[in-house]
Amino acid sequence: ELNNNGECGSSSGNRRPRISPSIVPQMDKLLRKLEGRELDYFAFSHGKVKTQTTLCTLYRARAGIVEWSGDGDGDDDDGGTSSSSSGPSSTSSSCAQKERRRAICVELVGNRFLRRMVRILVATAMREAQKGNNEGGNGNDGGDDALLNILSTKDRRL
């Protein structure tokens, strides 16, 4: 869709909330501290654990930025490239092909995961990284060890 300046973009104002990409390096630092360690992830579980243990090992825990070309609807089934059998026939489809999209990509590889562990871990990592940005430092009092501190205390509350 073209805006009033003839540029590609949404003029409807119906955009998703934006998260500053500046938190990604701090998220990556926080997550990498968890790699290769068998830790008790109860603090990042739903709380109603039905397993005998909450010990998990994350072999890889990383955060980064990914970019792709998309049509702006966030649902790119073809890997982010927009194509048409009849070729670009309208202004909106040519804008869709030009729009570059960015997102935070979190990669977690482990021996097991608890119920809701991934979403809670990612949200907590984002929160702790944002604290570091707001305070001009490297996270809250725990700094780069904030996630490890949460795991050891089993308390992720603010």
Side-chain angles (χ1 to χ4, degrees), residues 36-111:
R37 301 179 185 195
E38 184 179 63
L39 298 167
D40 186 345
Y41 280 86
F42 180 79
F44 294 124
S45 71
H46 179 53
K48 298 177 182 178
V49 179
K50 297 179 182 178
T51 61
Q52 291 181 347
T53 182
T54 53
L55 295 176
C56 306
T57 302
L58 292 180
Y59 303 118
R60 187 168 173 90
R62 310 281 171 93
I65 299 277
V66 292
E67 291 187 4
W68 73 96
S69 296
D71 61 6
D73 68 1
D75 188 21
D76 296 323
D77 292 331
D78 60 355
T81 57
S82 185
S83 63
S84 171
S85 59
S86 62
S89 58
S90 71
T91 305
S92 65
S93 73
S94 65
C95 281
Q97 291 175 356
K98 292 178 186 177
E99 185 174 359
R100 297 291 297 163
R101 312 267 308 174
R102 295 185 338 162
I104 297 174
C105 176
V106 176
E107 180 183 8
L108 299 172
V109 178
N111 65 341

Side-chain angles (χ1 to χ4, degrees), residues 2 5 11 20-21 37 41-42 64 69 76 90 110 114 116 118-120 126 138 141 149 151 157:
L2 291 178
N5 298 329
S11 60
S20 172
R37 301 179 185 195
Y41 280 86
F42 180 79
S69 296
D76 296 323
S90 71
L114 304 174
R116 296 187 184 165
V118 172
R119 79 174 79 170
I120 294 169
M126 290 178 77
N138 291 331
D141 295 335
N149 294 341
L151 288 172
R157 291 177 291 167

Side-chain angles (χ1 to χ4, degrees), residues 127-128 131 150 154-158:
R127 181 190 75 201
E128 295 301 319
K131 280 183 185 179
I150 290 168
K154 296 184 174 160
D155 186 1
R156 67 175 187 269
R157 291 177 291 167
L158 295 172

